[in-house]
Amino acid sequence: MSGVRVLVGTRKGAFILTSDDKRQDWKVDGPLFGGWEVYHMKGSPVDPNRIYASQSSSWFGQIIQRSDDGGKTWYAPGGEELPDPYGPPAGISNRFIYDTSDETGKPLTTHQWYDGTQHPWEFKRVWHLEPSLTDPDTVYAGVEDAALFRSTDGGKSWQELAGLRGHGSGEQWMPGAGGMCLHTIVLDPSNPNRIYVAISAAGAFRSDDGGQTWKPINRGLNSQFMTDPTAEVGHCVHRIDMHPSQPNVLFMQKHWDIMRSDDAGENWYEVSGNLPTDFGFPIQVHARDPNTIYVVPIKSDSEHFPPDGKLRVYRSRSGGNEWEPLTNGLPQSDCYVNILRDAMAVDRLDSCGVYFGTTGGQVYCSPDSGDHWYPIVRDLPPVVSVEVQTLS
Amino acid sequence: MSEPVSQVRVELPFHLRNLAKVDGEVRLSVPEPVTIQAILDALEAAYPVLRGTIREHGTGKRRPLLRFFACAKDYSHEPADTRLPDAVASGKEPFLVVGAVAGG
């Protein structure tokens, strides 16, 4: 029987919500990793039992967790191997070390700080885990301070793809309000060598050689907070999404503005259209219709809550510009939650389900592409991320 | 001839006990002399999952929101090769890894 598994990362642990394809009755498991921040969990597209989770804490740092049984049991890959007790520490699990070698990268060690001075690159946490489309042991990690890492041994060890930080503009990158994070990783299903990433506040970047070399793809973006609003880098991109059937078409929620590219990011144009505000964090493409996209407008960059206290998802069926509010089942008064960039996802059932989590701890589900909504859970810790696995 | 070894007790904060899957104190065999570094080396060798959670990967520095205590003394800012009191080396007193209280 088909069904869905919703992976929810929160400020105080992770939860797994499961249902059959009707998506009416839910089983809630958790908290996993209670008390830790779980910025992201995501399953392998080729092995749904393989799930990776980013567990972090300001006190204890970064842990990568892995499940090989669909979330029933977890372990820190690499941490299970006991070396000689008197030997030097040999483990490299959870070890994210920036590559500053001359051979593989460039000795780039500073970026722009909030006040414009240069600041050392300091690892803080993994924001996003993106499993390979073809190999369950290969997974990418987007981290703060912004860099891209890859593991090819199931999360036991991580190597930086240093060509991104070292491509030439790294010294101009600066942190956004949430830190200087690489939060979006999009793998092109039609081209295994093509990877997109997005960084706040640097912009979008693309590699066409499997992550070895990178170039900024920000032409058409306009960011008024920048000294040069159309500069090559410095834009605060909040999230990018793509439909696998149209890999050259990208949709972007920027700090302000909903943007679209029809040429793999070479050029962007605005499709904010009739939205009440085009500030927001997530953007999500429908699983079956590549021209249907969802955003959740937020009042402004200074007021991170829905306009007028009304929680409204907006849907465009035309790839942007024309948007309709979706309100059935969502609170339409006194609602002041936020929806973070990784906290929206879709399933791939015949009637596409749309899901999002809020900073108020609700996870909403619409089993009919956004026409009707209901909360699966109401009282979780603040939700940071939502991913959905469609199970057959 | 093998080098002398001390049996040392270590108290970890709640989240690190969970991570290492241990209840209560950890008992470690630590080669002498018993220093902060020797204890942490032995701890990480016995529980590799704790690598990076107390000392940062790469630099080996104590993570900023953790502190070390033993025998009612704060060792957080002492050099890693600081020799700990005999009471710790003998197992009479534990070495404490404590998360700084930051509210919230």
Side-chain angles (χ1 to χ4, degrees):
Chain A
M1 191 171 66
S2 59
V4 293
R5 184 191 291 140
V6 182
L7 309 173
V8 182
T10 81
R11 294 281 183 208
K12 297 291 182 184
F15 297 82
I16 298 180
L17 322 177
T18 49
S19 175
D20 62 19
D21 59 0
K22 293 189 180 64
R23 292 157 290 181
Q24 293 173 342
D25 299 316
W26 292 86
K27 178 172 179 281
V28 180
D29 290 310
L32 304 164
F33 326 122
W36 293 68
E37 292 184 307
V38 178
Y39 267 58
H40 198 219
M41 289 197 293
K42 194 159 187 179
S44 163
V46 284
D47 176 6
N49 282 326
R50 173 68 63 83
I51 304 172
Y52 295 97
S54 170
Q55 170 189 2
S56 67
S57 151
S58 298
W59 281 260
F60 310 116
Q62 179 66 49
I63 304 292
I64 294 294
Q65 293 278 356
R66 167 177 147 185
S67 175
D68 296 331
D69 56 11
K72 294 184 184 71
T73 61
W74 294 83
Y75 66 101
E80 77 278 18
E81 296 166 2
L82 296 175
D84 172 359
Y86 296 122
I92 47 178
S93 61
N94 308 322
R95 187 173 185 268
F96 291 85
I97 301 292
Y98 294 114
D99 182 351
T100 55
S101 67
D102 289 322
E103 294 76 20
T104 54
K106 293 185 179 177
L108 178 65
T109 55
T110 61
H111 58 79
Q112 199 173 158
W113 194 233
Y114 294 97
D115 60 3
T117 59
Q118 287 292 299
H119 191 83
W121 236 277
E122 297 165 335
F123 175 81
K124 297 188 178 64
R125 61 177 57 82
V126 172
W127 276 63
H128 185 98
L129 291 162
E130 191 67 32
S132 156
L133 301 177
T134 55
D135 173 19
D137 282 338
T138 295
V139 55
Y140 297 84
V143 313
E144 176 189 358
D145 287 340
L148 182 65
F149 284 76
R150 179 172 60 195
S151 172
T152 57
D153 56 10
K156 289 181 182 176
S157 64
W158 298 86
Q159 296 79 40
E160 186 189 1
L161 296 169
L164 173 61
R165 276 195 319 138
H167 85 94
S169 69
E171 292 176 1
Q172 301 169 51
W173 303 358
M174 68 184 87
M180 197 177 81
C181 51
L182 193 159
H183 48 69
T184 297
I185 304 169
V186 179
L187 306 176
D188 185 334
S190 67
N191 179 353
N193 286 321
R194 179 164 281 182
I195 306 171
Y196 302 92
V197 300
I199 296 167
S200 297
F205 299 84
R206 191 183 79 207
S207 171
D208 291 325
D209 57 8
Q212 298 308 303
T213 62
W214 295 81
K215 68 176 214 174
I217 48 166
N218 300 304
R219 192 177 300 126
L221 305 188
N222 190 316
S223 300
Q224 292 302 313
F225 70 85
M226 293 163 54
T227 308
D228 174 2
T230 60
E232 187 177 43
V233 297
H235 302 274
C236 192
V237 176
H238 283 183
R239 194 167 189 275
I240 294 173
D241 199 22
M242 164 219 287
H243 192 277
S245 71
Q246 291 186 345
N248 284 338
V249 178
L250 303 173
F251 295 100
M252 173 193 292
Q253 170 72 68
K254 195 164 67 65
H255 194 72
W256 293 95
D257 302 335
I258 312 296
M259 306 297 292
R260 172 178 173 146
S261 171
D262 296 326
D263 53 10
E266 294 290 339
N267 299 280
W268 296 88
Y269 57 97
E270 188 175 356
V271 292
S272 302
N274 62 337
L275 285 171
T277 157
D278 57 12
F279 188 91
F281 291 95
I283 188 164
Q284 184 67 48
V285 184
H286 190 281
R288 301 199 170 270
D289 178 1
N291 287 315
T292 294
I293 51 180
Y294 301 88
V295 295
V296 187
I298 294 300
K299 186 175 178 184
S300 75
D301 52 356
S302 298
E303 294 174 289
H304 285 188
F305 42 73
D308 306 319
K310 299 177 179 178
L311 181 54
R312 290 169 291 186
V313 175
Y314 275 73
R315 176 174 63 194
S316 171
R317 295 182 185 275
S318 54
N321 283 324
E322 297 89 34
W323 299 87
E324 57 177 327
L326 307 173
T327 61
N328 194 325
L330 298 176
Q332 295 305 297
S333 63
D334 306 322
C335 181
Y336 293 94
V337 297
N338 193 7
I339 291 81
L340 301 180
R341 71 191 80 226
D342 251 343
M344 191 176 211
V346 295
D347 68 35
R348 290 182 287 105
L349 293 171
D350 288 340
S351 174
C352 176
V354 187
Y355 306 78
F356 68 91
T358 78
T359 55
Q362 301 86 33
V363 178
Y364 288 98
C365 168
S366 169
D368 54 8
S369 299
D371 291 339
H372 302 85
W373 298 87
Y374 67 90
I376 304 172
V377 284
R378 290 182 180 276
D379 299 304
L380 299 186
V383 174
V384 181
S385 64
V386 172
E387 292 287 350
V388 183
Q389 294 181 285
T390 306
L391 308 173
S392 54
Chain B
M1 201 170 99
S2 60
E3 59 188 335
V5 171
S6 292
Q7 300 300 312
V8 172
R9 297 158 54 204
V10 178
E11 280 192 16
L12 296 171
F14 172 83
H15 286 302
L16 294 187
R17 293 200 303 272
N18 280 350
L19 202 59
K21 297 186 171 67
V22 297
D23 291 321
E25 287 181 351
V26 172
R27 292 173 185 271
L28 297 170
S29 297
V30 179
E32 295 178 1
V34 174
T35 62
I36 296 170
Q37 178 166 331
I39 289 179
L40 295 179
D41 284 350
L43 180 68
E44 292 175 354
Y47 302 97
V49 73
L50 297 182
R51 290 175 190 150
T53 64
I54 299 170
R55 308 184 279 190
E56 291 177 350
H57 283 302
T59 65
K61 288 183 181 172
R62 172 182 55 82
R63 291 189 56 79
L65 297 187
L66 290 185
R67 299 178 69 176
F68 303 142
F69 294 94
C71 303
K73 181 181 173 186
D74 184 355
Y75 283 89
S76 306
H77 304 284
E78 300 298 326
D81 59 359
T82 299
R83 192 163 182 161
L84 293 166
D86 289 344
V88 174
S90 67
K92 185 180 175 189
E93 290 289 333
F95 179 72
L96 308 177
V97 179
V98 178
V101 176

